[in-house]
């Protein structure tokens, strides 16, 4: 990490000539500008920078689409303001002479852009702070490495790519050593960008791996998540390889993003752990009950794309049943740790998740459980895949229906945010419904 004074010195010495000013959009991507470091210090630091507000009102292909109140042709596609959060300033070791700072988004009059993912999460952490609580979070992102560059993958239509491993390398030291130069460079680069790297391990799908980072305060974790996701792709591209965080890129195991969340008192005291069942306090039981109660209503923020829902296959280590269990990987919510380390692991999100939205959804759900003293249902100690009574929504259409009818979403996030992300889902569904897929061509071109 860098202080402002360190940045000034590095710019003066010529060690830094570029500052990336970025925010995370609805799709979870870093968007923003590369600025002259001199211009950043002289102008942007005090007067900020601006960007077109369509950046929170386009689809994944950057097409302008209808239905957004905050940004449209009728409103002229004006600007919002990128306000650098200098607490996030850091080196970017994989880009020469570069520093990066995360921006908060405001309108020209200084009011918050409430549909911005980072602003949504900060609103929820503020609710926690009103109760004397702090959220600690950790995200576990899985990805698949291919020996094809991104350009080669596109030319192939993303078919017949060569995975970095040819067999299941889950926990395999030999298997991970095959691409350790890339994994090591990513780990060390992220450490150089101020992140605390814990480990790397192989996963089940061909070429699938995971790099784990130490937990941190929720907003910081999501900042790091977004930077890591973009940075790892940039590093892979520099080595003529490619990485995908797509939730379900093929018929084998998908890419998950398990999110670990716990609460502490403002003084650091443990609040979820106690002398109740499975080591939970009363607050911990209510918090977990709230996560369960909100799961279906807020799945749209855990599974934000059409492809996300294809992970939910029995026996795949992705959940299908909205249940919880102690150290039970068949459940949507897994209780892990003990005492100060006691936490909830949400296994519903995939690698395509927007971390700010998912963690905000977890906090809102947990607070609902605490505020209303929701009772916790019995734990599942067996195979939760056998329970079909309360299912994770099977499609984005199902999740959208739950979202727009959710009293929890309306109360926690407000009507503007609910409408904004409902439109996001409708845009994706309309594009998907209009597409003619390879599957249809294979089945129908000749035989029907």
């Amino acid at each position: 990490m860098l202080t402002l004074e360190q940045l000034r010195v590095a710019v003066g010495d010529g060690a830094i000539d570029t500052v990336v000013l970025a925010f995370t959009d609805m799709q979870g991507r870093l968007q923003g500008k590369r600025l002259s470091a001199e211009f950043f210090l002289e102008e942007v630091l005090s007067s900020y920078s601006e960007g077109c507000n369509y950046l929170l009102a386009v689809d994944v292909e950057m097409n302008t689409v209808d239905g957004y109140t905050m940004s449209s042709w009728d409103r002229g596609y004006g600007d919002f303001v990128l306000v650098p959060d200098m607490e996030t300033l850091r080196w970017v070791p994989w880009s020469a002479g570069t520093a990066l700072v995360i921006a908060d988004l405001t309108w020209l009059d200084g009011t918050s852009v409430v549909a911005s993912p980072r602003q949504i999460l900060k609103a929820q952490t503020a609710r926690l702070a009103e109760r004397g609580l702090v959220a600690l979070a950790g995200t576990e992102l899985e990805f698949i490495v291919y020996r094809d560059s991104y350009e080669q993958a596109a030319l192939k239509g993303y078919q017949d790519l060569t995975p970095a491993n040819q067999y299941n390398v889950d926990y395999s030291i030999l298997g991970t050593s095959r691409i350790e130069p890339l994994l090591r460079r990513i780990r060390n680069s992220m450490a150089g960008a101020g992140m605390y790297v814990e480990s790397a391990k192989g996963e089940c799908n061909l070429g699938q791996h995971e790099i784990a980072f130490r937990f941190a305060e929720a907003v910081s974790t999501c900042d790091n998540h977004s930077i890591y996701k973009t940075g790892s792709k940039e590093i892979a591209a520099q080595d003529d390889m490619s990485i995908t965080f797509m939730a379900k890129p093929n018929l084998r195991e998908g890419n998950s993003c398990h999110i670990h969340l716990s609460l502490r008192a403002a003084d650091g005291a443990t609040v979820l752990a106690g002398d109740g069942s499975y080591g939970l306090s009363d607050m911990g039981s209510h918090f977990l009950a709230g996560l369960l109660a909100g799961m279906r209503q807020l799945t749209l923020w855990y599974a934000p794309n059409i492809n996300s829902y294809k992970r939910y296959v029995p026996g795949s280590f992705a959940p299908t049943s909205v249940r919880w269990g102690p150290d039970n990987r068949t459940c949507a919510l897994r209780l892990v740790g003990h005492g100060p380390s006691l936490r909830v692991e949400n296994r519903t999100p995939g690698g395509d998740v927007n971390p700010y939205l998912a963690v905000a959804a977890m906090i809102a759900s947990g607070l609902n459980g605490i505020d209303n003293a929701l009772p916790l249902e019995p734990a599942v100690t067996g195979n939760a895949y056998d329970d079909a009574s309360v299912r994770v929504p099977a499609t984005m259409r199902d999740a959208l229906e739950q979202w727009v009818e959710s009293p929890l979403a309306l109360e926690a996030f407000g009507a503007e945010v609910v409408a904004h992300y409902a439109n996001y889902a409708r845009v994706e569904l309309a594009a998907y419904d209009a597409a003619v897929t390879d599957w249809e061509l294979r089945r129908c071109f000749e035989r029907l």
Side-chain angles (χ1 to χ4, degrees), residues 8 75 89 143 151 164 415 417-418:
R8 293 187 191 278
R75 294 175 63 91
L89 183 67
F143 55 86
E151 291 74 19
V417 170
V418 170

Side-chain angles (χ1 to χ4, degrees), residues 113-195:
V113 178
V114 297
S116 165
R118 194 171 196 255
Q119 277 37 78
I120 288 171
L121 176 55
K122 291 180 80 170
Q124 296 307 306
T125 57
R127 293 179 65 205
L128 284 173
E130 292 170 357
R131 296 161 171 80
L133 298 173
V134 176
L136 301 177
T139 59
E140 298 177 338
L141 261 177
E142 294 173 354
F143 55 86
I144 296 178
V145 182
Y146 292 100
R147 298 198 179 276
D148 311 80
S149 70
Y150 283 109
E151 291 74 19
Q152 291 167 339
L155 289 172
K156 289 182 176 182
Y158 305 100
Q159 300 292 325
D160 301 320
L161 306 183
T162 303
N165 300 96
Q166 302 301 314
Y167 56 89
N168 182 330
V169 296
D170 194 23
Y171 288 95
S172 169
I173 299 301
L174 175 63
T176 53
S177 70
R178 301 288 290 275
I179 59 165
E180 172 59 8
L182 175 64
L183 298 178
R184 179 175 180 269
R185 187 178 170 212
I186 293 174
R187 292 197 309 271
N188 290 343
S189 294
M190 296 308 140
M195 303 178 205

Side-chain angles (χ1 to χ4, degrees), residues 11-12 17 63 84 99 103-104 114 130 178-179 216-218 242 273 275 281 289 291 309 331 372 374 388 427 441:
V11 173
D17 53 60
N63 296 312
D104 286 315
V114 297
E130 292 170 357
R178 301 288 290 275
I179 59 165
E217 183 275 329
S242 56
D275 55 6
S281 65
L291 288 173
Y309 297 83
C331 297
N372 294 286
L374 296 183
V427 166
L441 288 169

Side-chain angles (χ1 to χ4, degrees), residues 191-246:
M195 303 178 205
Y196 189 127
V197 182
E198 289 189 348
S199 63
K201 65 176 289 291
E203 291 288 346
C204 299
N205 203 334
L206 305 186
Q208 190 176 46
H209 297 264
E210 173 187 286
I211 297 174
F213 298 85
R214 187 172 178 82
F215 68 89
E217 183 275 329
V219 176
S220 294
T221 287
C222 295
D223 291 341
N224 291 341
H225 176 120
S226 295
I227 294 167
Y228 158 58
K229 193 171 183 180
T230 295
S232 62
K233 289 181 179 180
E234 292 175 343
I235 291 168
Q238 290 168 6
D239 286 351
D240 291 323
M241 301 174 77
S242 56
I243 282 175
T244 184
F245 294 94
M246 185 177 177

Side-chain angles (χ1 to χ4, degrees), residues 10 30 85 125 189 215 249 256 276 367 429-430:
L30 284 186
D85 179 349
T125 57
S189 294
F215 68 89
S256 69
L367 281 177
L429 287 165

